[in-house]
Amino acid sequence: MTTRAAAAGEGRNARVWAVVSCIPRGRVATYRQVAQLAGIEGPSGARQVGYALAALDAGSEVPWHRVINVRGEVSPRARAGRENEQYERLALEGVDCDARGRIDLARYEWDYGGA
DNA sequence: AGCGTGACGCAGG
DNA sequence: ACCTGCGCCACGC
């Protein structure tokens, strides 16, 4: 599963995790946004972020649940069950989604420039 | 040194 | 608004 990526040796994934850790509670950021803040520019930057989060270790202090896709949805993962956890964690922070499982980005998207 | 794994975003229809 | 195809990089074995 290629997890536990660079637990000690920090590479690009650590960069992503650092950015995600900066997302305020009650806010969400898109993969694309995290990629940009992490300095990963490119058409597939968001994917690189997804890879980095996928490599995150369970029990990590990184608020990975605050990262969603541009549609305002939780990206479907390989392992079923975790997806629900993400929505649950967000709900605990006051981030709700509609019946379709979509989060209002206009309302919850992290505005790093306004803080 | 090479292959498989893995949480996306955009353009086009 | 929805669906489909394509591009992409880091890490473990």
Side-chain angles (χ1 to χ4, degrees), chain A residues 12-62:
Chain A
R12 181 156 240 186
N13 289 6
R15 182 87 188 188
V16 173
W17 303 337
V19 172
V20 175
S21 297
C22 291
I23 304 174
R25 184 172 171 286
R27 295 286 186 202
V28 295
T30 63
Y31 290 91
R32 196 74 183 91
Q33 186 167 10
V34 172
Q36 192 175 318
L37 291 173
I40 306 174
E41 295 181 30
S44 60
R47 191 143 197 177
Q48 314 317 319
V49 173
Y51 295 152
L53 291 184
L56 252 182
D57 189 41
S60 171
E61 296 177 27
V62 178

Side-chain angles (χ1 to χ4, degrees), chain A residues 43-78:
Chain A
S44 60
R47 191 143 197 177
Q48 314 317 319
V49 173
Y51 295 152
L53 291 184
L56 252 182
D57 189 41
S60 171
E61 296 177 27
V62 178
W64 51 269
H65 56 280
R66 294 177 189 154
V67 184
I68 60 180
N69 58 34
V70 292
R71 297 162 142 184
E73 304 179 303
V74 170
S75 294
R77 347 149 272 117

